[in-house]
Amino acid sequence: MIKISVVGATGYAGAELVRILSKHPEAEIVHLVSKSYAGQKMSDIYESFMNICDIKLEGMDVNKIASDSDVVFTALPHGASKEIIPAIAEKGVKIIDFSADYRYKDPEIYKQWYGTEHGSPQLLGKSVYGLCELYRNEIAGAAIIGNPGCYTTCSILALAPLVENKLIDFKSIVIDAKSGVTGAGRSEALDYSFCECTENMKAYKIAKHRHTSEIEQELSALAGEEIVLSFTPHLIPLKRGVLATCYAELRDKSYSAQQLIDLYKSYYKDDYFIRIYDCGKLPETHHVAGSNFVDMGLAVDERTGRVIVVSCIDNIVKGAAGQAVQNMNIMFGLPESMGIDNPAFYL
Amino acid sequence: MIKISVVGATGYAGAELVRILSKHPEAEIVHLVSKSYAGQKMSDIYESFMNICDIKLEGMDVNKIASDSDVVFTALPHGASKEIIPAIAEKGVKIIDFSADYRYKDPEIYKQWYGTEHGSPQLLGKSVYGLCELYRNEIAGAAIIGNPGCYTTCSILALAPLVENKLIDFKSIVIDAKSGVTGAGRSEALDYSFCECTENMKAYKIAKHRHTSEIEQELSALAGEEIVLSFTPHLIPLKRGVLATCYAELRDKSYSAQQLIDLYKSYYKDDYFIRIYDCGKLPETHHVAGSNFVDMGLAVDERTGRVIVVSCIDNIVKGAAGQAVQNMNIMFGLPESMGIDNPAFYL
Amino acid sequence: MIKISVVGATGYAGAELVRILSKHPEAEIVHLVSKSYAGQKMSDIYESFMNICDIKLEGMDVNKIASDSDVVFTALPHGASKEIIPAIAEKGVKIIDFSADYRYKDPEIYKQWYGTEHGSPQLLGKSVYGLCELYRNEIAGAAIIGNPGCYTTCSILALAPLVENKLIDFKSIVIDAKSGVTGAGRSEALDYSFCECTENMKAYKIAKHRHTSEIEQELSALAGEEIVLSFTPHLIPLKRGVLATCYAELRDKSYSAQQLIDLYKSYYKDDYFIRIYDCGKLPETHHVAGSNFVDMGLAVDERTGRVIVVSCIDNIVKGAAGQAVQNMNIMFGLPESMGIDNPAFYL
Amino acid sequence: MIKISVVGATGYAGAELVRILSKHPEAEIVHLVSKSYAGQKMSDIYESFMNICDIKLEGMDVNKIASDSDVVFTALPHGASKEIIPAIAEKGVKIIDFSADYRYKDPEIYKQWYGTEHGSPQLLGKSVYGLCELYRNEIAGAAIIGNPGCYTTCSILALAPLVENKLIDFKSIVIDAKSGVTGAGRSEALDYSFCECTENMKAYKIAKHRHTSEIEQELSALAGEEIVLSFTPHLIPLKRGVLATCYAELRDKSYSAQQLIDLYKSYYKDDYFIRIYDCGKLPETHHVAGSNFVDMGLAVDERTGRVIVVSCIDNIVKGAAGQAVQNMNIMFGLPESMGIDNPAFYL
């Protein structure tokens, strides 16, 4: 059994992680840390865990957590774990971090988009970007995982085969992404209240959303040259789900949708969690809700010479807690899909 | 492994059953029957099953199904399986039926509420009402299970401790029940369209909903005398969830909420899926959504002398597919919670 | 033109009031008061008012407001206007208050349910309970209106004909009420966040919701004797709408639904905003959403001898802002439905 | 008073039209035609109209309708009015048609996208594309109006200033549009059922949605050259609202958002229903829900040289019934905003 601690257990990503771990055959939760709710039980905050996870929430004690755990998941906002993580890492305990802090190779990029100096740039060399389908080998031996964000997971995987094979004009990429409200976390902000969200939709942070830089870093690495692209996030009145509609101009206009679909199926042939739709079919978010799958379909617009790729994930599973467990499975030599191989809820 | 066939696999209850069985450690699906979609794969109809359940849907072949299966789940409307079930039962294969057909002890009651003669009254003696918490022993040896409806499961369990202990005036029972839209099944009717349901709620079939007769049958059996009660169903704009608010006058007005909560905890002390809330707390449907749990809380209104019990289930899990699997587990000597012990989605 | 000020203009009830007044043929808004947003325009807070109501929000200035206004609407929580209202009333300006402060005849009842002394008991004699259909004559000459709450409007009107005609056992009344989320106002509390509300429902404050006392006060007055009843509120995932399902035992079991419907039609024959459904039909909240109508249907459960009345309103129109305007119309001798006679949105 | 008949009164667009007309100061409804519900009252089908529009629905009688009406609104699918409209037009009665039939200048384009010959190509010369902000003068004298679709209204108005001023590369246009479910009309199809739509989103008809041809026709006319673009519709779980996110490359990368916003404000300075947001602000669909407004905001992505315009409408008001009334107002010399100048519901 892997001994696990979760820091930030009562946020939505943390709670989803506990939901998954509570039925993972090799997981043993040893500590749940919550600054706000220390002293209460997990099931006091989320009654859905009653009789399933009644563990008492604790305050932060780095030494205890490090000495009791094989791996620590930190599910806090960027910057919030900047003292905890180096301290834990020093003791040789594996870390899977949900924030942006260990996703970047270059601390300058981090500073530019997050507006603050990176707290532990010396650790960036020890950390791996935890997009399992692209970095499986590096993840296996990593000390720290920068677990990717929801928009980025959905967008990078949608474009990777086209970018790596240089099939598109790199200047033409537009990603129009739509997210459910859990993407904002367990928030009291008025913007995420029921009455403001339901029967409403909006774009936000156009041309300046931080995930843009993550997507660009990863696609540039695949392309072998710098890619700059347009990314627009939207808030949609549902709980779970990110859908990214990705547009790019084909370099060779003669490519058919079928050819590209074949390419995608081949590119992802060893990836259990990637499902490529047959020609004429398109994914929907309820096909993946509650699961760790990434569903993709694509079409070629022959009139304009563009390829349009649509990809869907559950933002708090494959976009957060599920991918974190997938990373853990890889790091500990377990079957990659262990504990996260359930089908979507659909309903 | 238990060999399982599902008749009516593409309805919502059928699909939910396949979702559960696809991860049940002792279940092997051998046939999925669908009149409408025979020849297509399950994952053509529900893309969420892609790579998980790609079994081809078949037309009905009683002999083949009976000879290949240890148990057949029939998830069709009442009356629709009236030839299939006797034919399968005759061959000694266990049946778990989702319709109302085998829920009644008296075919006259069935006729009165369903407006049609019962198709196989001779089998009622061999069938057991599949409310696991009340009929565990009878279910273990039954040939046919009449799997209870969602409203009834939620209502009967909410009132059973009060009724069996004769703590309430039996003439005073009012059940005000609220259901999500999956309760109507996979329906094309305009009434269940998104635009008619969202931002809307309504009561329907007041004083004449068929589930009333099921609730009365079971509570009367517990009381040892005939109980007639008021039951009002409501349609609420959510997918999964039934919440029943049950009112009754206490015979002894001196009972406190704490005393009654203690009674409930004792009454259900051996039932994994029943969770009784502490005094001052109340269940919510997202505490149980996607799970097989029945969550209950209660309050005493000292001013009026009434006890109010609130109970919540997921209508297509504990109210249909999950309870069906619970019944199967009991019938085949497996741990009762096998394959259905996950916590709720919450989000 | 009636000169109008609104105190608390940026809450949901206040904003809905501005929405209605902006198209009311006899209304002229002179001041909009908001403590939180003074200095900004109404359309900065609610962009829906752009080019329609760009009035600048102001801090509270009792003298200016009183001297410029014919009527002041105070849309603040109970107690919050306790200094403002006496000061304005003293200057002879009419007041329509959305809080509970002027709804009670007896300050002891107020203290008992709100846990605080009433701030200006001397004004209770000058205030009228603004349930237009019951107190039209008194409202016409009132100085202060205690504008009723949403649950109470829906519940009292549903039961008034039965109570006033003494057709039911007064001890048997149960009101099971369901509310949309705007009922909680413009709130940042986690309980009202999208992710906590959508796909969820719950009962709350069983046997202790403050509106119980308002309903009892009014029904007791109609009955000529003290009525104590059970009232249970529920939170439902929609924005606009309250639906109350009211149960009571008929004194004379021979009454038919048709007879009672005829009685209701007669009782409310002069009330434009009350619509009684024909036998066999039931109201739904989208029949009234966005309108000032109160739709009611009823059934008799012959098996139990109960009458069940279902009534629906839009909680922020007839349950708040619309009824407030209806009160204003009556107070100023305008046609009662002026500016609020639109049909529901339905969609 | 303008005498009005509505053909297809019980579809969602028809019902919304009746909702608006019921309070329009110059409108008198003389006939409501419904094939499915002839003989019933409008308020039998939509109870929200009880006591407001209890007009009896009739079957089609071209002569009676033409002789009694000043204008006929036809709210039927494309092709369905192909005999009615020429017959009515012949009698000199004005027609405002909600289908695609009279939106095209070239019947070949119609045939290409709708897969059928146009039924009355000879009338295309007498018909005007009813996008009021662009064709106000032509509409005033038109015999037949081809009332634009929802996606097209939202998209064309979003791009018109950029296209007419040739500020963007015409080959670079991508429109990513999101629609609420009323866009599908009053449909019984499973795809639009509550359980399939809620908690789900999807793209559909990529590179082949018919509205593409309408958008291209109009933008090409403004550009003075042929424009071909990418248009992707998405289905979003809300009722009212279309949001279009439009991307294009600026020809001159030095343009700032502020300069373009100034240009938009100038371009639309005489259009009551167009609201341009200040720099840094973006529209949301609940800012326009229930209203005839078109709200737009824009940003410039300096890193990629793209302008991104976001526009929002209520698809059944400005995208159907409201714009139809706006057209009527123009045709009959009334103030353009009469009867449709209400603010959005917001809640």
Side-chain angles (χ1 to χ4, degrees):
Chain A
M1 299 291 273
I2 304 167
K3 290 182 176 160
I4 297 169
S5 293
V6 180
V7 178
T10 57
Y12 283 161
E16 186 73 359
L17 179 62
V18 172
R19 184 177 78 85
I20 293 171
L21 294 175
S22 71
K23 294 296 152 191
H24 189 290
E26 293 294 334
E28 180 190 349
I29 298 176
V30 292
H31 296 292
L32 296 180
V33 176
S34 166
K35 202 163 75 175
S36 321
Y37 299 105
Q40 297 189 62
K41 290 184 294 179
M42 188 66 183
S43 53
D44 290 332
I45 313 306
Y46 291 92
E47 291 84 348
S48 53
F49 287 122
M50 201 187 306
N51 301 349
I52 289 176
C53 179
D54 297 307
I55 295 173
K56 194 175 272 192
L57 297 159
E58 306 169 47
M60 189 67 211
D61 179 337
V62 169
N63 286 331
K64 191 164 75 170
I65 282 167
S67 69
D68 293 352
S69 312
D70 297 315
V71 60
V72 176
F73 293 86
T74 46
L76 296 175
H78 76 273
S81 308
K82 70 180 166 191
E83 279 147 32
I84 300 166
I85 289 178
I88 296 172
E90 200 167 89
K91 296 173 192 288
V93 176
K94 304 270 189 186
I95 288 164
I96 299 173
D97 181 42
F98 285 48
S99 85
D101 291 358
Y102 298 94
R103 295 177 188 161
Y104 290 92
K105 295 184 173 61
D106 180 353
E108 280 309 305
I109 301 282
Y110 179 88
K111 182 179 173 186
Q112 181 183 324
W113 288 84
Y114 286 82
T116 180
E117 292 286 345
H118 196 285
S120 48
Q122 75 286 0
L123 290 179
L124 293 186
K126 291 183 162 183
S127 66
V128 171
Y129 191 69
L131 191 48
C132 308
E133 283 72 17
L134 299 185
Y135 293 105
R136 196 170 279 126
N137 293 337
E138 294 83 346
I139 291 163
I144 301 177
I145 297 295
N147 201 53
C150 51
Y151 282 132
T152 49
T153 295
C154 196
S155 302
I156 295 165
L157 295 173
L159 289 167
L162 295 172
V163 167
E164 189 166 343
N165 289 289
K166 299 184 191 303
L167 297 180
I168 53 173
D169 175 357
F170 292 151
K171 289 192 176 154
S172 72
I173 300 174
V174 169
I175 303 171
D176 190 283
K178 298 94 181 161
S179 175
V181 186
T182 51
R186 190 163 177 266
S187 166
E188 299 202 335
L190 186 64
D191 276 359
Y192 305 113
S193 76
F194 182 82
C195 295
E196 298 291 324
C197 288
T198 196
E199 278 292 302
N200 191 29
M201 54 180 160
K202 63 175 172 184
Y204 64 99
K205 290 190 185 163
I206 297 184
K208 57 187 178 195
H209 193 282
R210 289 160 170 173
H211 283 184
T212 312
S213 58
E214 255 184 71
I215 301 169
E216 289 178 349
Q217 168 183 283
E218 296 304 317
L219 293 185
S220 297
L222 288 167
E225 63 181 275
E226 197 190 350
I227 289 183
V228 177
L229 51 80
S230 288
F231 172 76
T232 308
H234 297 76
L235 188 68
I236 301 294
L238 48 79
K239 281 197 290 194
R240 291 172 179 263
V242 163
L243 184 146
T245 312
C246 307
Y247 303 85
E249 288 170 28
L250 286 167
R251 291 192 180 171
D252 177 346
K253 309 296 188 200
S254 71
Y255 268 100
S256 69
Q258 188 59 57
Q259 283 174 296
L260 295 174
I261 286 167
D262 290 343
L263 173 80
Y264 270 65
K265 288 188 175 180
S266 167
Y267 189 90
Y268 287 122
K269 67 178 188 301
D270 296 326
D271 292 298
Y272 177 78
F273 290 116
I274 310 263
R275 302 189 295 195
I276 308 301
Y277 281 49
D278 287 334
C279 205
K281 289 198 150 190
L282 289 172
E284 310 183 11
T285 59
H286 68 165
H287 298 168
V288 299
S291 84
N292 202 51
F293 287 99
V294 185
D295 282 15
M296 298 183 205
L298 64 80
V300 168
D301 187 346
E302 290 167 13
R303 301 165 63 255
T304 63
R306 283 194 189 89
V307 55
I308 297 104
V309 186
V310 178
S311 65
C312 291
I313 63 166
D314 181 320
N315 52 301
I316 51 170
V317 182
K318 182 62 179 173
Q323 183 148 259
V325 172
Q326 189 181 356
N327 274 304
M328 179 189 81
N329 287 340
I330 296 172
M331 294 167 96
F332 288 84
L334 301 172
E336 193 170 320
S337 66
M338 181 178 276
I340 45 175
D341 60 350
N342 61 292
F345 310 149
Y346 193 87
L347 294 174
Chain B
M1 298 290 273
I2 304 167
K3 289 181 176 161
I4 297 168
S5 292
V6 180
V7 179
T10 57
Y12 284 160
E16 186 73 358
L17 180 61
V18 173
R19 183 176 80 83
I20 294 170
L21 293 176
S22 70
K23 295 296 152 193
H24 189 290
E26 292 295 331
E28 180 190 350
I29 298 175
V30 293
H31 296 293
L32 295 180
V33 176
S34 165
K35 203 164 74 173
S36 321
Y37 299 105
Q40 296 189 63
K41 290 184 295 181
M42 188 65 184
S43 53
D44 290 333
I45 312 307
Y46 291 92
E47 290 83 351
S48 53
F49 287 122
M50 200 187 307
N51 300 350
I52 289 175
C53 179
D54 296 306
I55 295 173
K56 193 175 274 192
L57 297 158
E58 306 169 47
M60 188 67 212
D61 180 336
V62 167
N63 287 330
K64 191 164 75 172
I65 282 166
S67 69
D68 293 352
S69 311
D70 297 316
V71 60
V72 177
F73 293 86
T74 47
L76 297 176
H78 76 272
S81 309
K82 72 180 165 192
E83 279 147 32
I84 300 166
I85 288 177
I88 296 172
E90 200 167 88
K91 294 172 193 288
V93 176
K94 303 270 190 185
I95 289 164
I96 299 172
D97 181 43
F98 285 48
S99 85
D101 291 0
Y102 298 94
R103 294 177 189 161
Y104 290 91
K105 295 184 175 62
D106 179 355
E108 280 308 304
I109 301 283
Y110 180 88
K111 183 178 172 186
Q112 181 184 325
W113 287 84
Y114 287 81
T116 180
E117 292 286 344
H118 196 284
S120 47
Q122 75 285 359
L123 291 179
L124 294 186
K126 291 183 162 184
S127 66
V128 171
Y129 191 69
L131 191 48
C132 308
E133 284 72 17
L134 298 185
Y135 293 105
R136 197 169 277 128
N137 293 337
E138 294 83 346
I139 290 164
I144 302 176
I145 298 294
N147 201 53
C150 50
Y151 281 132
T152 48
T153 295
C154 196
S155 302
I156 295 165
L157 294 173
L159 289 166
L162 295 172
V163 167
E164 190 167 341
N165 288 291
K166 298 183 192 304
L167 298 180
I168 54 173
D169 174 356
F170 293 151
K171 287 192 178 153
S172 72
I173 300 174
V174 169
I175 302 172
D176 190 283
K178 299 93 180 160
S179 175
V181 186
T182 52
R186 192 165 177 262
S187 167
E188 299 201 334
L190 186 65
D191 276 359
Y192 305 113
S193 76
F194 181 82
C195 296
E196 298 291 325
C197 288
T198 195
E199 278 292 302
N200 191 30
M201 54 180 160
K202 63 175 172 185
Y204 64 99
K205 291 191 186 164
I206 297 184
K208 57 189 178 194
H209 192 282
R210 289 158 169 173
H211 283 182
T212 312
S213 58
E214 255 184 72
I215 301 168
E216 289 178 349
Q217 168 183 283
E218 296 304 319
L219 293 184
S220 297
L222 287 167
E225 62 181 275
E226 198 191 349
I227 289 183
V228 178
L229 51 80
S230 288
F231 172 77
T232 308
H234 297 76
L235 189 68
I236 302 294
L238 48 79
K239 283 198 289 193
R240 290 171 180 262
V242 164
L243 183 147
T245 312
C246 307
Y247 303 84
E249 288 169 28
L250 286 167
R251 290 192 180 173
D252 177 347
K253 308 299 187 198
S254 70
Y255 268 100
S256 69
Q258 188 58 57
Q259 282 174 297
L260 295 175
I261 286 167
D262 291 343
L263 172 80
Y264 270 66
K265 288 189 175 181
S266 167
Y267 189 90
Y268 288 123
K269 67 179 186 301
D270 297 327
D271 293 297
Y272 178 78
F273 290 117
I274 310 261
R275 302 190 293 196
I276 307 302
Y277 281 50
D278 286 334
C279 205
K281 289 198 149 191
L282 289 171
E284 310 183 14
T285 60
H286 69 166
H287 298 168
V288 299
S291 84
N292 203 52
F293 288 98
V294 185
D295 282 15
M296 298 182 206
L298 64 79
V300 167
D301 187 346
E302 290 167 14
R303 300 165 62 255
T304 63
R306 283 193 190 89
V307 55
I308 298 105
V309 186
V310 179
S311 65
C312 292
I313 62 166
D314 180 320
N315 51 301
I316 52 170
V317 182
K318 182 62 178 174
Q323 182 146 260
V325 172
Q326 190 180 356
N327 274 303
M328 180 190 82
N329 287 340
I330 296 171
M331 294 166 96
F332 288 85
L334 301 172
E336 195 169 318
S337 66
M338 180 179 276
I340 44 175
D341 60 351
N342 61 291
F345 310 149
Y346 192 88
L347 294 174
Chain C
M1 300 290 273
I2 304 166
K3 289 180 176 159
I4 298 168
S5 293
V6 179
V7 179
T10 56
Y12 283 160
E16 186 72 359
L17 180 62
V18 173
R19 185 177 77 85
I20 293 170
L21 294 175
S22 71
K23 295 296 153 190
H24 188 290
E26 293 294 333
E28 181 190 348
I29 297 174
V30 293
H31 296 292
L32 295 180
V33 176
S34 166
K35 203 163 74 173
S36 322
Y37 300 106
Q40 298 189 62
K41 290 184 295 179
M42 188 66 183
S43 52
D44 290 332
I45 313 306
Y46 291 92
E47 292 83 348
S48 53
F49 286 123
M50 202 188 304
N51 300 349
I52 289 175
C53 179
D54 296 307
I55 295 173
K56 193 176 274 193
L57 297 159
E58 305 169 46
M60 189 66 212
D61 178 336
V62 168
N63 287 330
K64 192 164 74 171
I65 282 166
S67 70
D68 293 352
S69 312
D70 297 316
V71 60
V72 177
F73 293 86
T74 45
L76 297 176
H78 76 272
S81 308
K82 71 180 167 192
E83 277 146 33
I84 300 166
I85 289 178
I88 296 172
E90 199 167 90
K91 294 173 193 288
V93 177
K94 304 270 191 184
I95 289 164
I96 299 173
D97 180 43
F98 285 47
S99 85
D101 291 359
Y102 297 94
R103 294 177 189 160
Y104 290 90
K105 295 184 174 64
D106 180 353
E108 281 308 304
I109 302 282
Y110 179 88
K111 183 178 171 187
Q112 180 184 327
W113 289 84
Y114 287 82
T116 178
E117 292 286 344
H118 196 284
S120 48
Q122 76 285 2
L123 290 179
L124 293 186
K126 290 182 161 185
S127 66
V128 172
Y129 191 68
L131 190 48
C132 308
E133 283 71 18
L134 299 184
Y135 293 105
R136 197 170 277 126
N137 293 337
E138 293 83 347
I139 290 164
I144 302 176
I145 298 294
N147 202 53
C150 50
Y151 281 131
T152 49
T153 295
C154 197
S155 302
I156 295 166
L157 294 172
L159 289 167
L162 294 172
V163 168
E164 189 166 344
N165 288 289
K166 298 183 193 302
L167 298 180
I168 53 173
D169 175 356
F170 294 151
K171 289 192 177 154
S172 72
I173 300 173
V174 169
I175 303 172
D176 189 284
K178 297 94 180 163
S179 176
V181 186
T182 52
R186 191 165 177 265
S187 167
E188 299 201 336
L190 185 66
D191 276 359
Y192 305 113
S193 76
F194 182 82
C195 295
E196 298 292 324
C197 288
T198 196
E199 280 290 303
N200 191 28
M201 55 181 160
K202 63 175 171 185
Y204 64 99
K205 290 189 187 165
I206 297 184
K208 57 189 180 195
H209 192 282
R210 288 160 170 173
H211 283 183
T212 312
S213 59
E214 258 185 68
I215 300 168
E216 288 178 349
Q217 169 183 281
E218 295 304 318
L219 293 184
S220 297
L222 287 167
E225 62 181 274
E226 197 190 350
I227 289 182
V228 178
L229 50 79
S230 289
F231 171 77
T232 309
H234 297 76
L235 188 69
I236 302 294
L238 48 80
K239 282 196 291 194
R240 291 171 179 264
V242 164
L243 183 146
T245 311
C246 308
Y247 302 85
E249 287 169 29
L250 286 167
R251 290 190 180 175
D252 177 347
K253 310 296 188 200
S254 71
Y255 268 100
S256 70
Q258 187 59 58
Q259 282 175 298
L260 295 175
I261 287 168
D262 291 343
L263 172 81
Y264 270 66
K265 288 188 174 179
S266 167
Y267 189 90
Y268 287 123
K269 68 179 186 301
D270 297 326
D271 293 297
Y272 178 78
F273 290 116
I274 309 262
R275 302 190 294 195
I276 308 301
Y277 281 50
D278 287 335
C279 205
K281 289 197 150 191
L282 289 172
E284 310 182 12
T285 59
H286 69 164
H287 297 168
V288 300
S291 84
N292 202 53
F293 287 99
V294 185
D295 282 15
M296 297 182 207
L298 65 80
V300 168
D301 187 346
E302 291 167 13
R303 300 165 63 256
T304 63
R306 284 194 189 89
V307 55
I308 297 106
V309 186
V310 179
S311 65
C312 292
I313 63 166
D314 181 321
N315 52 301
I316 53 170
V317 182
K318 182 63 177 173
Q323 183 147 262
V325 172
Q326 189 180 356
N327 274 306
M328 179 190 81
N329 288 340
I330 296 171
M331 293 166 97
F332 288 85
L334 302 173
E336 193 169 318
S337 66
M338 181 178 275
I340 44 174
D341 61 349
N342 60 292
F345 310 149
Y346 192 87
L347 293 173
Chain D
M1 299 290 272
I2 304 167
K3 289 180 175 161
I4 297 168
S5 292
V6 179
V7 179
T10 55
Y12 284 160
E16 185 73 359
L17 180 62
V18 172
R19 184 177 79 85
I20 294 171
L21 293 175
S22 71
K23 295 295 152 192
H24 188 290
E26 292 295 332
E28 180 189 350
I29 297 173
V30 294
H31 295 294
L32 295 180
V33 175
S34 165
K35 204 164 73 174
S36 321
Y37 299 105
Q40 297 189 62
K41 291 184 294 182
M42 188 65 183
S43 52
D44 290 333
I45 313 306
Y46 292 91
E47 290 84 349
S48 53
F49 287 123
M50 202 187 304
N51 300 348
I52 289 176
C53 179
D54 296 307
I55 295 173
K56 194 176 272 191
L57 297 159
E58 305 170 48
M60 188 67 212
D61 178 337
V62 168
N63 287 331
K64 191 164 75 171
I65 282 166
S67 70
D68 293 352
S69 310
D70 298 315
V71 60
V72 177
F73 292 86
T74 46
L76 297 175
H78 76 273
S81 308
K82 72 181 166 191
E83 278 146 32
I84 300 166
I85 289 177
I88 296 172
E90 200 167 87
K91 294 173 193 288
V93 176
K94 303 271 190 186
I95 289 164
I96 299 172
D97 180 42
F98 285 47
S99 86
D101 291 0
Y102 297 94
R103 294 176 189 162
Y104 290 91
K105 295 185 174 64
D106 179 354
E108 281 307 305
I109 301 283
Y110 179 88
K111 184 178 171 185
Q112 181 185 324
W113 288 83
Y114 286 83
T116 179
E117 292 285 345
H118 196 284
S120 48
Q122 74 286 358
L123 290 179
L124 293 186
K126 291 183 160 182
S127 66
V128 171
Y129 191 70
L131 191 47
C132 308
E133 283 72 17
L134 299 184
Y135 293 105
R136 196 170 277 126
N137 293 337
E138 293 82 347
I139 291 164
I144 301 176
I145 298 295
N147 201 53
C150 50
Y151 281 131
T152 49
T153 295
C154 195
S155 302
I156 296 166
L157 294 172
L159 289 166
L162 294 172
V163 167
E164 190 166 342
N165 289 291
K166 298 183 193 305
L167 298 180
I168 54 174
D169 175 356
F170 292 151
K171 288 190 177 155
S172 72
I173 301 173
V174 169
I175 303 171
D176 189 283
K178 298 95 181 160
S179 176
V181 186
T182 53
R186 191 165 177 265
S187 167
E188 299 201 335
L190 185 65
D191 276 0
Y192 306 114
S193 76
F194 181 82
C195 295
E196 298 291 324
C197 288
T198 196
E199 278 292 304
N200 191 29
M201 55 181 160
K202 64 174 172 185
Y204 63 100
K205 290 189 186 165
I206 297 184
K208 56 190 180 192
H209 193 280
R210 288 158 170 174
H211 282 184
T212 312
S213 58
E214 256 185 69
I215 300 169
E216 289 178 348
Q217 169 183 281
E218 295 304 318
L219 293 184
S220 297
L222 287 167
E225 63 181 273
E226 197 190 349
I227 289 183
V228 178
L229 52 79
S230 288
F231 171 77
T232 308
H234 297 75
L235 188 68
I236 301 294
L238 47 79
K239 281 198 290 193
R240 292 170 178 264
V242 164
L243 183 146
T245 311
C246 307
Y247 302 85
E249 288 169 27
L250 286 167
R251 290 191 181 174
D252 178 347
K253 309 297 187 198
S254 72
Y255 268 100
S256 70
Q258 188 58 58
Q259 281 175 299
L260 295 174
I261 286 167
D262 291 343
L263 172 80
Y264 271 66
K265 288 189 174 178
S266 167
Y267 189 90
Y268 287 123
K269 69 179 186 301
D270 297 326
D271 293 298
Y272 177 78
F273 290 116
I274 310 263
R275 302 190 294 197
I276 308 301
Y277 282 49
D278 287 335
C279 206
K281 288 197 151 191
L282 289 172
E284 310 182 13
T285 59
H286 69 165
H287 298 167
V288 299
S291 84
N292 203 51
F293 288 98
V294 185
D295 282 14
M296 297 183 208
L298 65 79
V300 168
D301 186 346
E302 290 167 13
R303 302 165 62 255
T304 63
R306 284 193 188 89
V307 55
I308 297 105
V309 187
V310 178
S311 65
C312 291
I313 63 167
D314 181 320
N315 52 301
I316 53 170
V317 181
K318 182 62 178 175
Q323 183 147 261
V325 172
Q326 189 180 357
N327 274 305
M328 180 189 83
N329 287 341
I330 295 172
M331 294 167 96
F332 288 85
L334 301 172
E336 195 169 318
S337 66
M338 181 179 276
I340 43 174
D341 60 350
N342 61 292
F345 309 149
Y346 193 87
L347 293 173

